[in-house]
Amino acid sequence: MFEPEKIDALLRDQINVSHLDIVDLTGTRDHYSVLIVSADFDGSLPLAQHRKVNAALADQLASGEIHALQLKTLTPTEWEKSK
Amino acid sequence: MGKIEVNTMTEKKKISLNIVQPQENEEPKSRVEGGDVMSEIAAEVANNKIVLYMKGTPSEPRCGFSARASQILGSFSVPFHHVDILVDPEKRQAIKEFSNWPTIPQVYVGGEFLGGSDILTQMYENGQLDTVIKAL
């Protein structure tokens, strides 16, 4: 179990976040869906983008505090287009 | 172990560096050919343009994420090679280390690790997957 507020703080601490949605998928605070938009993602493939997010939450993913993380990463340009 | 001599322009003296042959130069081979499981994975991703490591098979997937990955790859005209890791516990662990990625399914395209099911979905939606597959 890991509070969404703490996920928010960890991600903003390590990634230049311009938009962030965190959804608790099961109500048990260990299965999350995260949509994150950052200029840090510009010019890199989704694999590198996802690795960056996973790295920011590495301790919690390894300990099982976060059991599952469904992730979508977007650059600011992609985010504008998707609106 | 070879040696290479380098002339450094600024200091005008010769230095020598030892060249170590990387292990990857060995031809990857499957376990039945005497390789280890990591070598077998290296051979699979080198010898097939698209490889999907999944739970179950495309016709009988055993996990929703594997089913989705299989459906996405199946929507392209390029055939893909699938590996059912549920029947191979050794490879099920090894593929996670090989890719440095904790979950299955995993997709390789053109010998490169592309990602798991979320990444595949994202690249399918934004057109990058189409570009990568067409470049094969």
Side-chain angles (χ1 to χ4, degrees):
Chain A
M1 233 161 70
F2 198 72
E3 306 302 316
E5 295 78 15
K6 291 185 190 167
I7 295 178
D8 187 285
L10 277 175
L11 292 177
R12 289 181 193 279
D13 189 43
Q14 293 172 67
I15 297 169
N16 176 24
V17 172
S18 52
H19 181 89
L20 181 58
D21 289 333
I22 302 172
V23 179
D24 181 346
L25 291 172
T26 50
T28 51
R29 294 181 176 177
D30 58 355
H31 289 64
Y32 286 100
S33 172
V34 169
L35 167 70
I36 179 167
V37 183
S38 169
D40 291 353
F41 299 151
D42 280 332
S44 56
L45 282 173
L47 176 63
Q49 298 168 359
H50 283 231
R51 282 204 198 276
K52 199 173 177 68
V53 177
N54 288 339
L57 302 171
D59 290 347
Q60 291 69 34
L61 287 166
S63 69
E65 286 170 280
I66 301 173
H67 178 73
L69 182 64
Q70 188 181 310
L71 189 57
K72 184 162 185 172
T73 54
L74 292 175
T75 64
T77 314
E78 289 170 333
W79 172 238
E80 285 305 317
K81 273 192 215 160
S82 75
K83 278 182 186 173
Chain B
M1 186 98 69
K3 289 210 171 197
I4 186 168
E5 295 203 320
V6 180
N7 265 310
T8 56
M9 296 298 284
T10 48
E11 295 179 59
K12 295 198 174 167
K13 65 178 182 186
K14 284 182 175 176
I15 56 168
S16 64
L17 305 169
N18 288 322
I19 305 296
V20 180
Q21 292 296 329
Q23 274 193 323
E24 291 88 73
N25 281 5
E26 283 176 26
E27 192 70 24
K29 52 190 176 184
S30 69
R31 281 167 289 180
V32 290
E33 294 167 323
D36 62 12
V37 65
M38 296 296 247
S39 181
E40 181 169 305
I41 293 169
E44 279 168 348
V45 303
N47 298 335
N48 296 282
K49 285 182 174 177
I50 305 175
V51 187
L52 171 63
Y53 293 89
M54 65 182 295
K55 294 179 180 175
T57 63
S59 53
E60 284 185 53
R62 302 284 296 274
C63 143
F65 300 106
S66 286
R68 181 165 57 173
S70 169
Q71 271 170 11
I72 289 175
L73 291 178
S75 72
F76 292 84
S77 54
V78 183
F80 65 92
H81 179 67
H82 77 271
V83 178
D84 180 3
I85 52 79
L86 288 181
V87 299
D88 192 341
E90 190 185 9
K91 192 173 284 179
R92 183 179 185 166
Q93 289 311 311
I95 189 63
K96 297 176 184 176
E97 282 177 46
F98 189 88
S99 313
N100 185 27
W101 194 256
T103 50
I104 289 159
Q106 297 190 9
V107 179
Y108 279 79
V109 176
E112 297 285 328
F113 178 51
L114 209 62
S117 127
D118 283 351
I119 290 176
L120 198 69
T121 303
Q122 194 171 320
M123 292 182 78
Y124 179 62
E125 288 171 354
N126 71 15
Q128 285 173 325
L129 184 62
D130 193 50
T131 307
V132 171
I133 290 179
K134 277 188 177 147
L136 283 173

